[in-house]
Amino acid sequence: MIRRSLPRAFSAASALKGIPLSGATINESVKEAKYAVRGAVLERSMELQRKMAAGEKLPFDKIVPCNIGNPHACLQVPLSFHREVLSLCISPNLATDHPHVFKKDVVERAKHYAAGLTGGVGAYTNSQGIPAVREEIAAFIAERDGHPARADRIYLTNGASEGVRILLTCLLRSGGKKDGLLTPIPQYPLYSASLTLLGGSLVPYHLNEGASWGVEMDNLRETLAAARADGTEVRGIAVINPGNPTGNILAEEQIKDIIKMAVDEKLVVLADEVYQANIWKEGASFSSFKKVACDMGYTGEDGDDRLQLVSFHSTSKGYFGECGLRGGYMEVHGIGAEVRAELYKLASLSLCSNTIGQLATGIMINPPKPGDPSFETFQKERDDILSSLERRSIMVHKALNELEGITCNEADGALYAFPRIRLSEKAKRAAEAEGVPADEYYCLKILDESGIVLVPGSGFGQEEGTLHFRTTFLPAEETMHETLKIMAKAHGKFMDEHRD
Amino acid sequence: MIRRSLPRAFSAASALKGIPLSGATINESVKEAKYAVRGAVLERSMELQRKMAAGEKLPFDKIVPCNIGNPHACLQVPLSFHREVLSLCISPNLATDHPHVFKKDVVERAKHYAAGLTGGVGAYTNSQGIPAVREEIAAFIAERDGHPARADRIYLTNGASEGVRILLTCLLRSGGKKDGLLTPIPQYPLYSASLTLLGGSLVPYHLNEGASWGVEMDNLRETLAAARADGTEVRGIAVINPGNPTGNILAEEQIKDIIKMAVDEKLVVLADEVYQANIWKEGASFSSFKKVACDMGYTGEDGDDRLQLVSFHSTSKGYFGECGLRGGYMEVHGIGAEVRAELYKLASLSLCSNTIGQLATGIMINPPKPGDPSFETFQKERDDILSSLERRSIMVHKALNELEGITCNEADGALYAFPRIRLSEKAKRAAEAEGVPADEYYCLKILDESGIVLVPGSGFGQEEGTLHFRTTFLPAEETMHETLKIMAKAHGKFMDEHRD
């Protein structure tokens, strides 16, 4: 490029002083926030990818991204009905110009949405989301739970993450208050990072690895009492069910206990239920917090705010796996009109969530029904995905438990295994010498050797003195056997090289 | 619904004490944030819409939404090429199963994106955005400005709003600092609302209505000095060019002056350039801050952080008007690697912006070229939209200036008129009696009479003692004449009923 004459004397060194956006002057909370799912190990994997692309010879021939629940990136095939409806909503003329291309129920669904969308997918919607989609979601929830649900209690969001951000923005007061959120450990780091950004305190309650990562009520109550005694105003509790990264499923009795405590202690419950369609454990089923709350008589109707509950769902997981479309919603329960108006205002600051994600959410929870032209294809696609995921969860869990120094609870639900790993003193010293946590050191070495991208347990939080990593079981089933062999080899090599 | 037995004694009154999410206990900053574009007047319009739907007789037969720049809601037709590429990216099999449906360049573009998207639109992308799209954007910027641009300086976002939120999150330090942002008055209220939410101070600099809403440098410097003397750490300046709600276009000389001041005073420039394709003034053209900065020698290369500039663009405006898809980007200039990594981390907390919005952004800035099969259609569609918008801007400005008590600067750019209105003492007293600002009172009365939704000037900020409203000129051209007649009648009635 052409270098024009500089308007005044300048040296790089002097320019580094006092500028508003530098490492030294940026908002400290941003720097402090950590998000391991896309942290140092992923950075290294991107660097290795570039090296491979540049022709460098590495010990493996591909990067296997097990760091993130991103099914389509692992070549999970999208569902046909859903995609066709979306294509038609974007280009409605395709159905009129080419009447033979789309099945009847695809055309009808697209028309149904078009009728509720003045200006189509290109217009801002109601900030809370397209009314027709919120009606569909309310019907889905009512059928799932056996209790009524209302469209005006539902807020469509760009993925579930945006809902969590909006809710925490309301919950955590600014201005030096010491507001806290009970958060499971291990947890999905969206919670820890959002708390840091918003100036809130993470109040950790530990899940019990020895009891299938269950919630221990005594421990939970003690944690709360201790945090309050310490001056933290604990205002809510986050629950991830099925668990991420742990894969545990809460029984109704456990949910009841948590709800009782939330009512007694005036805590808002944030129920992260994005894995509700990923249930693998024989005989287990998913119960939503909303269902159990209604069973217990907490109707959430106006005037009944004894229990305040906000539930999150997303298009990114389940058998849908549509991460890129950024669809999701939150349902509020026991939250009064004044606060609902504030949630609406926060949503309106971003105008609305993206319309394709909104429609994808509607289609996800209202798929083809028996007798519809698209039903058989849909059913086969869905069942193939779910049964393959279930087989893969068993393969991964079994293979990990066969490795030296590794023990792994079964994944009852969700998309991850979170094995515990015992490392030698030599490995720990080597990590210390490199200035990284021992689990991160392990993950980096496995990556360098195998191309497999794991996430260190420290990114999710773990009991003091224990080490873990998280892996998805998303690599395609036909490659899974090979991937696990590569993992076993890399692990064996690591253990051999680090014997005390 | 079935009312189950309640688990313990309960009355609505007692439950209202101490719950975490109530009007009394919610984060105060959320309550304080105001966003007028979707405020009280819009609320009333939605209520009127419901009444009409329920069969109630009103003085008008439709609501005319002039409150928000939402072109497709006013039936602006989307561009064919863009929509077809998006449909094909969502359902790639359409092209193989039905080879005659799509034009060759549509298929090629969809293939180009597919090649850069492992897992297609359903996978999370790089948190900064799809590399292939960032390359397209960099090429667009380089051609527009005559200066190089780099894909690694571009962050794709859900609309421009998300970019502004992320940037301000980095800029405004938490923990009781009194950080401020120079903000034009009148302004698009995203800025004021975000500042309130993030605990920053809005430092208002007034645009000069008497000089086509231009920026006055003396005033700007005095404002900055006064704010600093008052203890505010002013860390940036927001500029909206072309202006929202004012419609002014900054000349290169003005941009140069602002840049000089930003360099001298170490202010980050936030250049909101979402209306860059909406230029109506004869002989005027759009110059980006980035172009002028590079002309002045501020290269923004690593090491040159004398000028820190962040520019925003969006798919929602221009001739594209794709608001619902939530596409947009920010380009950073003079921002070092450490801060870029923090921006990346903040983006990664939401995993990525929606893929359809990302692709729409790519297509927007890289439309069909002469010779491409889709070019002629594209050119006609684009020119029809732009020329019609231009005619409508003149119609609206002329009609408003003919109304008693109203004066209105021409809209040189953007999608709005922001007329000044002089109200009688009687009208002001009536507003006071109803407890609303006088401009809001006026807008509510116009709405009740005509169905036209305006936004009170107080939502954008205005010089003390003056009153304004904002209206888009987006209603369809064939209805515009009628809409302006209805507006004139409602205005005349208001003036007659409020004579002193």
Side-chain angles (χ1 to χ4, degrees):
Chain A
M1 69 172 289
I2 304 157
R3 190 67 174 257
R4 315 280 171 118
S5 65
L6 299 180
R8 56 180 192 137
F10 140 77
S11 80
S14 75
L16 286 173
K17 280 184 218 134
I19 56 165
L21 283 178
S22 71
T25 57
I26 195 174
N27 179 5
E28 277 293 322
S29 299
V30 171
K31 273 168 75 176
E32 281 162 20
K34 299 219 177 333
Y35 186 67
V37 175
R38 298 207 148 187
V41 182
L42 182 67
E43 285 289 315
R44 170 85 68 99
S45 78
M46 296 198 298
E47 190 192 317
L48 293 174
Q49 185 84 62
R50 280 190 292 271
K51 284 186 177 174
M52 274 167 67
E56 198 168 317
K57 185 89 190 100
L58 297 173
F60 46 85
D61 57 11
K62 66 169 190 280
I63 297 286
V64 184
C66 294
N67 59 306
I68 188 165
N70 192 4
H72 291 214
C74 298
L75 307 183
Q76 180 176 308
V77 177
L79 300 168
S80 310
F81 175 79
H82 302 74
R83 288 295 186 94
E84 285 169 18
V85 172
L86 293 177
S87 285
L88 205 44
C89 288
I90 289 179
S91 302
N93 64 309
L94 285 177
T96 35
D97 296 353
H98 308 281
H100 59 291
V101 169
F102 296 98
K103 289 205 180 82
K104 195 164 157 273
D105 53 347
V106 171
V107 176
E108 275 168 11
R109 181 65 69 90
K111 277 192 186 157
H112 170 70
Y113 291 135
L117 266 178
T118 313
V121 300
Y124 293 127
T125 69
N126 179 302
S127 294
Q128 207 169 331
I130 301 163
V133 172
R134 286 188 281 128
E135 293 292 349
E136 278 180 302
I137 295 171
F140 156 75
I141 294 171
E143 195 183 321
R144 181 195 67 190
D145 293 345
H147 293 284
R150 294 174 53 153
D152 66 348
R153 301 297 196 267
I154 290 161
Y155 296 74
L156 286 151
T157 50
N158 291 306
S161 309
E162 189 183 37
V164 172
R165 180 176 61 76
I166 288 176
L167 203 274
L168 288 180
T169 301
C170 286
L171 187 62
L172 301 168
R173 291 165 299 179
S174 33
K177 296 252 182 8
K178 210 183 154 198
D179 283 351
L181 182 75
L182 280 162
T183 308
I185 293 296
Q187 50 108 30
Y188 176 60
L190 169 65
Y191 296 94
S192 49
S194 302
L195 284 163
T196 306
L197 271 178
L198 292 165
S201 303
L202 187 149
V203 181
Y205 67 94
H206 287 268
L207 304 177
N208 186 346
E209 185 166 14
S212 304
W213 294 111
V215 176
E216 311 263 278
M217 288 308 298
D218 288 347
N219 168 282
L220 190 53
R221 283 180 206 280
E222 279 162 28
T223 303
L224 173 63
R228 285 187 167 160
D230 200 39
T232 303
E233 286 205 45
V234 183
R235 287 164 60 80
I237 175 168
V239 187
I240 311 174
N241 180 42
N244 174 7
T246 56
N248 66 311
I249 300 174
L250 291 176
E252 288 209 4
E253 277 310 309
Q254 286 187 297
I255 296 176
K256 236 182 231 176
D257 287 342
I258 294 169
I259 289 176
K260 269 186 215 150
M261 173 174 152
V263 170
D264 291 344
E265 303 289 350
K266 300 209 183 300
L267 300 172
V268 178
V269 179
L270 281 73
D272 181 335
E273 301 178 331
V274 301
Y275 297 98
Q276 60 187 266
N278 298 113
I279 305 292
W280 318 121
K281 188 184 182 178
E282 189 79 30
S285 64
F286 168 75
S287 297
S288 74
F289 269 75
K290 167 84 184 297
K291 173 194 180 291
V292 177
C294 290
D295 284 349
M296 292 168 77
Y298 298 110
T299 65
E301 285 168 7
D302 272 334
D304 182 4
D305 52 11
R306 294 167 298 162
L307 174 69
Q308 297 200 299
L309 166 66
V310 185
S311 312
F312 302 93
H313 198 10
S314 162
T315 60
S316 304
K317 313 301 170 188
Y319 53 89
F320 211 62
E322 292 281 10
C323 300
L325 301 183
R326 312 309 294 123
Y329 72 83
M330 61 179 171
E331 183 195 17
V332 304
H333 185 82
I335 307 281
E338 200 175 348
V339 172
R340 293 201 306 271
E342 297 296 343
L343 291 171
Y344 178 86
K345 187 176 70 187
L346 281 184
S348 79
L349 265 182
S350 325
L351 297 146
C352 65
S353 65
N354 86 89
T355 48
I356 305 304
Q358 291 190 43
L359 296 175
T361 309
I363 307 169
M364 171 180 76
I365 48 74
N366 185 16
K369 302 276 181 296
D372 291 350
S374 299
F375 178 72
E376 275 182 39
T377 305
F378 161 70
Q379 190 182 32
K380 184 177 179 331
E381 290 172 343
R382 178 195 62 192
D383 293 350
D384 283 355
I385 291 169
L386 287 175
S387 58
S388 169
L389 280 172
E390 186 169 2
R391 286 191 298 274
R392 281 179 274 166
S393 92
I394 295 166
M395 283 171 82
V396 168
H397 155 260
K398 197 162 157 281
L400 287 171
N401 271 315
E402 280 168 8
L403 299 183
E404 179 192 353
I406 286 187
T407 51
C408 183
N409 284 336
E410 280 177 51
D412 296 339
L415 300 175
Y416 314 99
F418 194 66
R420 179 166 177 189
I421 173 163
R422 280 129 187 114
L423 294 184
S424 64
E425 291 308 312
K426 185 174 175 186
K428 288 176 191 165
R429 280 196 305 273
E432 216 181 317
E434 295 199 9
V436 297
D439 50 5
E440 187 169 313
Y441 175 80
Y442 171 81
C443 292
L444 287 167
K445 290 288 172 194
I446 295 293
L447 169 62
D448 286 345
E449 186 62 27
S450 67
I452 296 172
V453 191
L454 308 170
V455 185
S458 48
F460 305 92
Q462 53 200 349
E463 194 86 48
E464 183 91 20
T466 68
L467 296 170
H468 299 77
F469 61 86
R470 189 187 80 167
T471 178
T472 71
F473 38 82
L474 289 171
E477 193 167 359
E478 57 273 24
T479 66
M480 186 58 97
H481 192 71
E482 184 62 20
T483 301
L484 291 170
K485 245 170 61 186
I486 293 170
M487 171 72 198
K489 200 172 146 227
H491 177 79
K493 192 175 169 203
F494 179 93
M495 297 304 270
D496 284 344
E497 285 176 358
H498 294 85
R499 296 211 180 276
D500 287 329
Chain B
M1 69 173 290
I2 304 156
R3 190 68 173 254
R4 314 279 171 120
S5 66
L6 300 180
R8 54 175 196 142
F10 142 78
S11 80
S14 77
L16 287 173
K17 280 183 218 134
I19 55 164
L21 283 177
S22 71
T25 57
I26 195 173
N27 180 4
E28 277 293 322
S29 300
V30 171
K31 272 169 75 176
E32 281 162 20
K34 297 214 178 337
Y35 186 68
V37 175
R38 298 206 149 188
V41 183
L42 181 68
E43 285 288 314
R44 170 86 68 100
S45 79
M46 295 197 300
E47 190 192 315
L48 293 173
Q49 186 83 62
R50 279 190 293 271
K51 284 185 176 174
M52 275 166 67
E56 198 168 316
K57 185 91 190 99
L58 297 174
F60 46 85
D61 57 11
K62 66 168 190 282
I63 298 287
V64 184
C66 294
N67 59 305
I68 187 165
N70 192 3
H72 290 213
C74 299
L75 307 183
Q76 180 176 309
V77 177
L79 301 168
S80 310
F81 175 79
H82 303 73
R83 287 296 186 93
E84 285 169 18
V85 172
L86 293 177
S87 285
L88 204 45
C89 288
I90 289 180
S91 302
N93 65 308
L94 287 176
T96 34
D97 296 353
H98 309 281
H100 58 292
V101 169
F102 296 97
K103 289 205 179 82
K104 195 164 155 274
D105 54 347
V106 171
V107 175
E108 275 168 11
R109 181 66 69 89
K111 276 191 186 155
H112 170 70
Y113 291 135
L117 266 177
T118 313
V121 299
Y124 294 128
T125 68
N126 178 302
S127 294
Q128 208 170 330
I130 301 164
V133 172
R134 286 189 280 128
E135 293 291 349
E136 277 182 301
I137 295 171
F140 156 76
I141 294 171
E143 197 184 318
R144 181 194 67 188
D145 294 344
H147 293 284
R150 293 174 53 152
D152 67 347
R153 302 296 196 267
I154 290 161
Y155 296 73
L156 286 151
T157 50
N158 291 306
S161 310
E162 189 183 36
V164 172
R165 180 176 62 75
I166 288 176
L167 203 275
L168 288 180
T169 301
C170 287
L171 187 61
L172 301 167
R173 291 164 298 178
S174 33
K177 297 253 182 9
K178 211 183 152 196
D179 283 351
L181 182 75
L182 280 162
T183 308
I185 292 298
Q187 50 109 31
Y188 176 59
L190 169 67
Y191 295 95
S192 48
S194 302
L195 284 162
T196 306
L197 271 178
L198 292 165
S201 302
L202 187 149
V203 181
Y205 67 93
H206 287 267
L207 304 177
N208 185 347
E209 186 165 12
S212 305
W213 294 114
V215 175
E216 311 263 277
M217 288 309 297
D218 289 346
N219 168 282
L220 190 54
R221 283 181 207 281
E222 280 162 27
T223 303
L224 173 63
R228 284 187 167 160
D230 201 39
T232 303
E233 286 205 46
V234 184
R235 288 164 60 79
I237 175 169
V239 187
I240 311 174
N241 181 43
N244 175 8
T246 56
N248 65 311
I249 299 174
L250 291 176
E252 287 209 5
E253 278 309 311
Q254 286 187 297
I255 296 175
K256 236 181 230 176
D257 288 341
I258 294 169
I259 288 175
K260 270 185 212 149
M261 173 175 152
V263 170
D264 291 345
E265 303 289 350
K266 301 210 184 297
L267 300 172
V268 177
V269 179
L270 280 72
D272 180 336
E273 301 178 331
V274 301
Y275 297 98
Q276 61 188 266
N278 298 113
I279 305 292
W280 318 121
K281 188 185 184 178
E282 189 80 31
S285 65
F286 168 76
S287 296
S288 74
F289 269 75
K290 167 87 183 296
K291 172 194 181 289
V292 178
C294 290
D295 284 349
M296 292 167 77
Y298 298 110
T299 66
E301 284 168 7
D302 273 334
D304 181 4
D305 51 12
R306 294 167 299 162
L307 173 68
Q308 297 200 298
L309 165 66
V310 185
S311 312
F312 302 93
H313 198 8
S314 162
T315 59
S316 304
K317 313 300 170 190
Y319 53 87
F320 210 63
E322 294 280 11
C323 301
L325 300 183
R326 312 307 296 122
Y329 70 84
M330 60 178 172
E331 183 195 16
V332 304
H333 185 82
I335 307 282
E338 200 175 346
V339 172
R340 294 203 305 272
E342 297 296 343
L343 290 171
Y344 178 86
K345 186 176 69 188
L346 281 184
S348 78
L349 263 182
S350 324
L351 297 146
C352 65
S353 65
N354 85 89
T355 48
I356 304 305
Q358 291 191 43
L359 295 175
T361 309
I363 307 169
M364 172 179 75
I365 48 73
N366 186 15
K369 302 276 179 296
D372 291 350
S374 299
F375 178 71
E376 277 184 35
T377 305
F378 161 70
Q379 189 181 33
K380 183 175 181 331
E381 290 172 343
R382 178 194 63 191
D383 293 352
D384 284 354
I385 291 169
L386 287 175
S387 59
S388 169
L389 280 172
E390 186 169 4
R391 286 191 298 272
R392 281 179 274 167
S393 91
I394 296 167
M395 282 171 84
V396 167
H397 156 258
K398 198 161 156 280
L400 288 171
N401 271 316
E402 281 168 8
L403 299 183
E404 180 190 352
I406 286 187
T407 52
C408 183
N409 284 336
E410 279 176 51
D412 295 339
L415 299 176
Y416 314 99
F418 193 66
R420 179 167 177 189
I421 172 162
R422 281 133 186 111
L423 294 184
S424 64
E425 291 309 310
K426 185 174 174 186
K428 287 176 192 166
R429 279 195 307 273
E432 217 180 314
E434 294 198 10
V436 297
D439 50 4
E440 187 169 312
Y441 175 79
Y442 171 82
C443 292
L444 286 168
K445 290 287 173 194
I446 296 293
L447 170 63
D448 286 345
E449 186 62 29
S450 68
I452 297 172
V453 192
L454 308 170
V455 186
S458 47
F460 306 92
Q462 52 200 348
E463 194 85 50
E464 183 92 21
T466 69
L467 296 169
H468 299 77
F469 62 85
R470 188 186 81 167
T471 178
T472 71
F473 38 83
L474 289 171
E477 193 166 359
E478 57 274 23
T479 67
M480 186 58 97
H481 193 70
E482 184 62 20
T483 301
L484 291 171
K485 244 170 62 185
I486 292 170
M487 171 72 198
K489 200 173 145 225
H491 177 79
K493 191 174 170 204
F494 180 93
M495 297 305 268
D496 285 343
E497 286 176 358
H498 294 85
R499 295 210 182 278
D500 288 329

